[in-house]
Amino acid sequence: MIKHSSGDFARLPFTVTVTRGNMVESRHQVIAAISDANGKYLKSWGDIESPVYLRSAIKPLQALQLVETGAADAFNVSEKELSLACASHTGEPLHVDAVQAWLSRMGLSIDDLECGVHWPTYEVAGRALAAAGKQPTSAHNNCSGKHTGFLTTALHMKEGTKGYINLAHPVQQRIIKVLEDFTGIDLTDAPIGIDGCSIPTIGVPLDKAALAFARFADPSRLDTDRAAACRRIQKAISHHPDMIAGSDRLCTALNGVAKGKVVAKVGAEAVYLAALPDEGLGIAIKALDGTTRAAEVALGALLDDLGVLTDDMHKVIDPYVRPVLRNRNDIIVGHLQAVISDETST
Amino acid sequence: MIKHSSGDFARLPFTVTVTRGNMVESRHQVIAAISDANGKYLKSWGDIESPVYLRSAIKPLQALQLVETGAADAFNVSEKELSLACASHTGEPLHVDAVQAWLSRMGLSIDDLECGVHWPTYEVAGRALAAAGKQPTSAHNNCSGKHTGFLTTALHMKEGTKGYINLAHPVQQRIIKVLEDFTGIDLTDAPIGIDGCSIPTIGVPLDKAALAFARFADPSRLDTDRAAACRRIQKAISHHPDMIAGSDRLCTALNGVAKGKVVAKVGAEAVYLAALPDEGLGIAIKALDGTTRAAEVALGALLDDLGVLTDDMHKVIDPYVRPVLRNRNDIIVGHLQAVISDETST
């Protein structure tokens, strides 16, 4: 138990409240930024210069090299597979089968995946697997699509596939280069950790993450090939939202119904990044306590604030972004709500 | 999206940090109080007068009526069943079988349980159930033991078992009376919500929750029968820690290894209540964001601070109270830690 002075992180004007009956039962603090591709911040909440591990939210940019190296074309990577390369999927058969087929086409197998094994994050799929007397493989890992993309790139670049998860491997070095390009900052001394799937995860100031996704949303100032790669990845996610996540997931619901107007990706520990191609804006969100429910509600509130959400979109995503709490008898017992006290224009 | 002024809740000196690599990735704010049975607060952190839904953490006091009405003796409720009546269990066969046997002995069945159905909270048990081609019943509900206790009391008191979950039913009214007795406050206008298992949950100021558990820990000033009932429930939990929760759960680990020196119970949305019978103290903890991992780490830190934990206890509970984060390849990638900046003596 360390005793030290409390930081300033606590004084923040964006919360998500969890109400049960006539009382707020729990509350989450959120930091968030909305940027354009020039680094102009439309709005922000909290200490947005804090470094944040972007975790899986950054997968669309991690997948850029799959297109930019020519690997995707060389191995006939389909649009569906490109979406899967950006996915934190639920381990349902459509994901697992697609990963296995893709690996097989490259002469590889699940033994080449270095992401580790876990049961499907969609519990229904996990129980179905168990009911079939099966065990999960690394193809069920929510990151297996991304890792298959990494293997594809490493194979195409003749870099060796073993150890592609390590910081020193060209696959990971290219990710850092892309991050530096999109954030405009030197990440040499950035905080670094190991992600759930064993690749490095880099701490990026939240404002720069918003800028990165704004540049991804509006790549018009980037070179032509990179701009085309950004647009190709956006389309892949929008056209194949079932591959980016799966059943009962906001990423699948939102990317599907938004039809390209929003391209969003969740990351572990309550990160959400979203690109708004029509507006040329990027959104970066972190709930400080790492609780995904808060990041989802916050994303809905910011999209709403920007006037992006139509009635049709609301209908599809409100179960995630304006959720009610139902108990074990399916009685509505509460709800979650975004509470923004003081927007900061920077 | 409501816009209003931010409250003071954010300025608190007790946090639990989640560190990954060389950076704090997420952090939780905790409020906590340690009281004796006279309502003297040894230490507290944050706004402990805030009402908190105690959820399942209050189950040991909810179970008092089972003993006090004579129902437990009339229906030969075993010590194991009494622990189960205080449980948020994992839905493993030992729990489900015990609930069914108890119901059956009273001439009742799972159809009399009004808690609702959910898959076992211990996913391994859920997958085993699925692999056996079965579906969960209300006996798998983590609260089924408590509900069986309610049914036992209602049956014994000839109050009718239907609707025992409703506020107006004598079972629920007795719970409120017990809460008022132990907290010493009038709960008529207290915040009220519906719990996951459909019974009312009452908002109790956190300091009074600590007082209630101090009185439970040291019932020497209560009347003889009530004191005996408190001690009987403490013993049941300590002697049968496997019934109070289940595999991979702090409540089972801690109540087992503490051998009566700590009687602790978790509640949903990050509540922990603990009784220290030897010291005559009660501890009440709420992580404001509702994340259980934070409440567990906070409980360990407070028990440590009080000098209650032996090396043997640490060995058993440290995986919960001083957890490391392991990724999908079982690599240690981070850890959780309690950070107490400024203890308040009140």
Side-chain angles (χ1 to χ4, degrees):
Chain A
M1 190 164 25
I2 294 171
K3 306 194 182 199
H4 73 179
S5 68
S6 72
D8 276 351
F9 78 89
R11 290 188 282 280
L12 292 170
F14 190 166
T15 64
V16 171
T17 57
V18 181
T19 300
R20 178 178 299 263
N22 56 358
M23 183 178 85
V24 170
E25 179 169 27
S26 302
R27 59 196 94 199
H28 304 277
Q29 299 181 321
V30 175
I31 61 175
I34 306 174
S35 176
D36 72 12
N38 293 316
K40 179 169 181 288
Y41 292 91
L42 267 71
K43 290 182 176 178
S44 71
W45 294 264
D47 181 10
I48 59 168
E49 290 169 20
S50 303
V52 168
Y53 289 132
L54 302 177
R55 308 291 302 270
S56 289
I58 203 67
K59 278 176 177 168
L61 296 189
Q62 290 176 333
L64 263 183
Q65 61 179 291
L66 179 58
V67 176
E68 294 190 313
T69 60
D73 290 335
F75 283 96
N76 295 311
V77 172
S78 68
E79 197 175 53
K80 196 173 81 170
E81 288 166 340
L82 195 52
S83 180
L84 191 59
C86 302
S88 299
H89 66 70
T90 47
E92 294 175 80
L94 83 161
H95 308 116
V96 175
D97 294 348
V99 163
Q100 285 173 329
W102 182 1
L103 285 168
S104 167
R105 196 171 72 240
M106 297 192 300
L108 299 175
S109 79
I110 54 171
D111 294 336
D112 295 290
L113 293 171
E114 298 180 359
C115 49
V117 175
H118 63 81
W119 284 88
T121 57
Y122 184 53
E123 285 182 24
V124 175
R127 291 193 293 262
L129 198 65
K134 294 180 182 167
Q135 291 285 321
T137 70
S138 51
H140 293 86
N141 185 306
N142 75 90
C143 299
S144 65
K146 177 179 77 172
H147 281 245
T148 304
F150 290 162
L151 284 166
T152 304
T153 308
L155 207 60
H156 177 67
M157 300 295 284
K158 305 189 191 331
E159 292 163 343
T161 55
K162 284 258 176 296
Y164 69 86
I165 58 174
N166 298 325
L167 181 61
H169 193 282
V171 163
Q172 302 307 325
Q173 287 298 311
R174 273 192 297 271
I175 289 174
I176 293 176
K177 180 67 170 58
V178 162
L179 272 179
E180 289 186 329
D181 289 351
F182 277 76
T183 60
I185 56 173
D186 178 356
L187 294 170
T188 311
D189 297 322
I192 187 163
I194 300 173
D195 214 322
C197 67
S198 293
I199 73 162
T201 183
I202 312 294
V204 174
L206 192 77
D207 54 357
K208 300 303 180 191
L211 170 60
F213 253 55
R215 286 176 169 163
F216 173 62
D218 170 16
S220 57
R221 288 167 203 78
L222 309 180
D223 79 50
T224 318
D225 285 353
R226 174 155 281 179
C230 288
R231 294 193 180 101
R232 185 167 162 187
I233 287 173
Q234 289 175 28
K235 279 197 184 123
I237 294 172
S238 298
H239 292 169
H240 302 280
D242 51 342
M243 302 308 283
I244 194 84
S247 296
D248 289 353
R249 287 277 299 275
L250 175 57
C251 276
T252 289
L254 176 56
N255 284 302
V257 74
K259 297 191 186 352
K261 292 187 178 305
V262 182
V263 179
K265 182 68 189 69
V266 74
E269 294 287 329
V271 177
Y272 238 111
L273 297 177
L276 309 185
D278 290 354
E279 289 81 4
L281 296 177
I283 300 175
I285 293 168
K286 163 84 179 176
L288 290 178
D289 54 59
T291 309
T292 299
R293 66 180 180 185
E296 293 183 339
V297 171
L299 177 61
L302 294 190
L303 292 175
D304 225 5
D305 197 42
L306 290 167
V308 175
L309 300 178
T310 63
D311 288 350
D312 281 352
M313 289 167 70
H314 263 301
K315 205 174 294 175
V316 173
I317 70 169
D318 278 2
Y320 307 92
V321 304
R322 293 178 176 177
V324 294
L325 299 175
R326 289 174 188 275
N327 78 358
R328 304 306 192 175
N329 283 318
D330 212 30
I331 300 167
I332 293 177
V333 295
H335 66 278
L336 274 72
Q337 186 169 30
V339 182
I340 299 183
S341 58
D342 181 29
E343 292 168 6
T344 314
S345 293
T346 46
Chain B
M1 191 166 19
I2 294 171
K3 306 193 182 199
H4 74 180
S5 68
S6 72
D8 277 352
F9 77 88
R11 291 188 281 281
L12 293 169
F14 190 166
T15 64
V16 170
T17 57
V18 182
T19 300
R20 178 178 298 262
N22 57 358
M23 184 179 85
V24 170
E25 180 170 25
S26 301
R27 57 197 95 199
H28 303 278
Q29 300 181 319
V30 175
I31 60 174
I34 305 174
S35 176
D36 72 12
N38 294 316
K40 179 168 179 291
Y41 292 91
L42 267 70
K43 291 182 176 178
S44 71
W45 293 265
D47 182 9
I48 59 168
E49 291 170 19
S50 304
V52 168
Y53 289 133
L54 302 178
R55 308 293 300 272
S56 289
I58 203 66
K59 278 176 177 168
L61 296 189
Q62 289 176 333
L64 263 183
Q65 62 179 292
L66 179 57
V67 176
E68 294 190 313
T69 59
D73 290 334
F75 284 97
N76 295 311
V77 171
S78 67
E79 198 176 51
K80 196 172 80 167
E81 288 167 341
L82 195 52
S83 180
L84 191 59
C86 303
S88 299
H89 67 70
T90 47
E92 294 175 82
L94 82 162
H95 308 116
V96 175
D97 294 349
V99 163
Q100 285 173 329
W102 181 1
L103 286 168
S104 167
R105 195 171 74 240
M106 298 191 301
L108 299 175
S109 79
I110 53 171
D111 294 337
D112 294 290
L113 292 172
E114 298 179 1
C115 49
V117 176
H118 63 81
W119 283 88
T121 57
Y122 184 53
E123 285 183 23
V124 176
R127 290 193 294 262
L129 197 66
K134 293 179 182 170
Q135 291 285 319
T137 70
S138 51
H140 293 85
N141 185 305
N142 75 89
C143 299
S144 65
K146 176 178 78 173
H147 281 247
T148 304
F150 290 162
L151 285 166
T152 304
T153 308
L155 208 59
H156 176 68
M157 300 294 283
K158 305 189 191 333
E159 292 162 346
T161 56
K162 283 255 175 300
Y164 70 86
I165 58 175
N166 298 324
L167 181 61
H169 193 283
V171 163
Q172 302 307 326
Q173 287 298 310
R174 274 191 297 271
I175 289 174
I176 293 175
K177 180 68 170 58
V178 162
L179 272 179
E180 289 185 329
D181 289 351
F182 277 75
T183 60
I185 56 174
D186 178 357
L187 294 170
T188 311
D189 297 322
I192 188 163
I194 300 174
D195 213 322
C197 66
S198 293
I199 72 162
T201 183
I202 312 295
V204 174
L206 192 76
D207 55 356
K208 301 302 181 192
L211 170 60
F213 253 54
R215 287 176 169 162
F216 173 62
D218 170 16
S220 57
R221 288 167 202 77
L222 309 181
D223 79 52
T224 319
D225 286 353
R226 174 155 282 180
C230 288
R231 294 195 179 101
R232 183 166 164 188
I233 287 173
Q234 289 174 28
K235 279 196 184 123
I237 295 172
S238 298
H239 292 170
H240 302 280
D242 51 341
M243 301 309 284
I244 194 84
S247 296
D248 289 354
R249 288 276 299 275
L250 174 58
C251 275
T252 289
L254 176 57
N255 285 301
V257 74
K259 297 190 184 355
K261 292 188 178 304
V262 182
V263 178
K265 182 70 189 71
V266 73
E269 293 287 329
V271 177
Y272 239 111
L273 297 177
L276 309 185
D278 291 354
E279 288 80 6
L281 296 177
I283 299 175
I285 293 167
K286 163 84 180 177
L288 289 178
D289 53 59
T291 309
T292 299
R293 65 179 181 185
E296 293 183 338
V297 171
L299 177 61
L302 295 190
L303 292 175
D304 225 4
D305 198 41
L306 290 167
V308 174
L309 299 179
T310 62
D311 288 350
D312 281 354
M313 288 167 71
H314 264 302
K315 205 174 294 176
V316 173
I317 71 169
D318 278 3
Y320 307 93
V321 303
R322 292 177 176 178
V324 293
L325 299 175
R326 288 175 189 276
N327 78 356
R328 303 308 191 176
N329 283 317
D330 212 30
I331 299 167
I332 293 178
V333 295
H335 66 278
L336 275 71
Q337 185 169 29
V339 182
I340 300 184
S341 59
D342 183 27
E343 292 168 7
T344 314
S345 293
T346 47

